[in-house]
Amino acid sequence: MNVMLAMLAAFLWGTTYAVTQYSLPGWPPLLLGAIRALPAGLLLLAFKPSMPEAKHWPILVRLGSINIALFFGLLFIMAQTLPSAISGVGMVSLPVFAMFYYWLLHKKKPNKIQFISGMTLITLAWLLFDPLNLKLNPVGLIAMIAALASIVIGSNIIQGLKGKMHWWSVLCWQLIIGGSILTIIAFAHALSSPAQYLSVLQNFNSLNAMGLIWLVLLNTMLAYGLYVWLMTRMTVVEFTFAGISNPVAGILMGLILVGDHFTANQYLLMALIIATSLMGSLLSTYYERKKLKQIKK
């Protein structure tokens, strides 16, 4: 059940790129990040008010800065500079980042299946993102790598709060804090470069409104609610391997909404990346459960 819910959250996140390109083209990434985070956090808090203890504020500020302000800003840079399918497939590399992060910093060695899956993902991703075959915006690629790192670090912070703070407070306040940071930065950016922001206001339409509703209600309130709740019940590596539905959403929505098209070889590489991530997740779960049963016996 947890894996299915993780896949639902990842699928919704995977729609971000195409929905943004289709319904909010040309919108400043900082503004999009602020609108996605702050209203969602305030609505969730209004639904169930929760006030953290004074000792938890420093870690919440750190979490909101990394997991929301930094990540959302990077995510919308990706959405404006990379094809939807490429953004979604690129995020499949998240288990590799998580695996090496825990290995290097926490001395937690990956199991053989996770290691083989990770190495296979790196190889396939290298082939897919080969600059000789696919011209991609370097700003978008740098944003993707930084976004992957911020997710792993932010997820690690959330897991560190397990048992110390209710997951609902973590959910609400990271969105409010991160959204507030993005709002301040976006306001400063608007003062220095007002043309793009004025264009957004002057040309606002119903398609923009539907895109924002999707991003706030589904991509943030629902998907992030599931994510924070699941972080109290799954490891970061388990969650990231369950994120296989992210690229599926990216490819499908990119095809349907913005007409992304790639070569047969590129689609084959995408399919292999998705299959590798899925098999790694399923086999890891199977052998861990088998190990637990043997210990209980």
Side-chain angles (χ1 to χ4, degrees), residues 12-13 16 30-41 68 71-72 75-76 175 179 182 212 214-221 223-224:
L12 289 172
W13 288 340
T16 302
L30 290 169
L31 177 62
L32 284 170
I35 293 175
R36 180 182 173 186
L38 188 56
I68 301 301
F71 176 64
F72 277 17
L75 190 70
F76 284 113
L175 287 168
L182 282 169
L212 292 176
W214 183 279
L215 292 177
V216 173
L217 296 184
L218 296 177
N219 281 30
T220 309
M221 293 179 70
Y224 257 83

Side-chain angles (χ1 to χ4, degrees), residues 15-16 18-20 22-25 27 32 35 204-219 253 257:
T15 67
T16 302
V19 168
T20 301
Y22 177 70
S23 64
L24 302 158
W27 279 50
L32 284 170
I35 293 175
F204 188 82
N205 55 44
S206 58
L207 182 61
N208 297 152
M210 286 189 288
L212 292 176
I213 289 170
W214 183 279
L215 292 177
V216 173
L217 296 184
L218 296 177
N219 281 30
M253 296 295 279
L257 293 181

Side-chain angles (χ1 to χ4, degrees), residues 256-287:
I256 294 167
L257 293 181
V258 294
D260 283 344
H261 290 286
F262 299 93
T263 66
N265 185 54
Q266 288 164 349
Y267 277 121
L268 176 61
L269 286 169
M270 290 180 194
L272 288 172
I273 287 172
I274 292 169
T276 300
S277 185
L278 181 59
M279 286 303 296
S281 176
L282 292 174
L283 288 173
S284 290
T285 303
Y286 171 75
Y287 282 111

